Amino acid sequence: MCVGVGVCGCCGALRPRYKRLVDNIFPEDPEDGLVKTNMEKLTFYALSAPEKLDRIGAYLSERLIRDVGRHRYGYVCIAMEALDQLLMACHCQSINLFVESFLKMVAKLLESEKPNLQILGTNSVQLRLRLPFSASLPGPWEPRSTSTCCSQALPSPP
């Protein structure tokens, strides 16, 4: 029986699959970067169930906003890298479901007082502007890695 407010082992399976997949891309230590195998699972899930993209985006946005507020900048970089990879993989008609979350995430970064977060948001917008509008054309850019993003001297939490 679950007692208390937190997530216990017996209740983890009750969380929606998309939330479990998103949570699994974040390592315990943000310096380890995005968990690639779990990101592949999330991408496959998003491609297999494009109607879930809005929920995936909303939850990723919720995590990013929470991590910005808690000064967990390594996780912010991981969330943006995951967003970039999902946008690159899911460049089809269903991407419209994802745009609102993308804009919320970028707005949160641009509203930040931290210049490095503002740069992260600006870079993400620049990458989106370079994406072709046709799903048949490949994107002319490579996603940035978390190590590159986080090596830009993001400030440590106080």
Side-chain angles (χ1 to χ4, degrees):
M1 179 174 196
C2 297
V3 179
V5 180
V7 177
C8 65
C10 66
C11 296
L14 299 177
R15 291 174 52 83
R17 183 165 187 221
Y18 73 91
K19 284 188 177 186
R20 284 183 281 142
L21 289 169
V22 169
D23 288 339
N24 289 340
I25 66 172
F26 293 91
E28 285 189 36
D29 182 4
E31 291 183 14
D32 293 339
L34 184 72
V35 180
K36 303 266 186 248
T37 55
N38 291 335
M39 185 63 210
E40 290 171 5
K41 291 176 187 177
L42 177 61
T43 302
F44 178 79
Y45 179 76
L47 290 170
S48 301
E51 68 278 2
K52 301 284 187 185
L53 264 178
D54 59 336
R55 293 181 188 168
I56 292 169
Y59 187 59
L60 207 64
S61 175
E62 179 184 315
R63 285 212 44 156
L64 177 129
I65 291 168
R66 183 175 60 217
D67 289 335
V68 167
R70 293 178 179 173
H71 308 287
R72 295 171 15 169
Y73 303 118
Y75 290 118
V76 171
C77 290
I78 291 170
M80 288 307 293
E81 181 179 358
L83 178 75
D84 286 343
Q85 289 188 24
L86 284 171
L87 281 169
M88 225 173 56
C90 302
H91 57 280
C92 59
Q93 290 80 4
S94 60
I95 203 64
N96 293 335
L97 300 172
F98 212 51
V99 171
E100 183 180 351
S101 298
F102 168 73
L103 293 175
K104 280 183 186 176
M105 293 170 78
V106 169
K108 185 64 176 178
L109 294 175
L110 295 176
E111 291 169 358
S112 171
E113 295 177 4
K114 306 290 182 195
N116 289 335
L117 293 182
Q118 294 170 351
I119 291 169
L120 183 61
T122 303
N123 288 344
S124 193
V125 169
Q126 286 177 333
L127 292 174
R128 295 295 77 63
L129 292 175
R130 288 188 219 147
L131 271 179
F133 290 102
S134 169
S136 62
L137 299 174
W141 56 277
E142 292 295 319
R144 66 183 173 272
S145 70
T146 304
S147 59
T148 304
C149 161
C150 295
S151 66
Q152 295 176 349
L154 284 175
S156 300

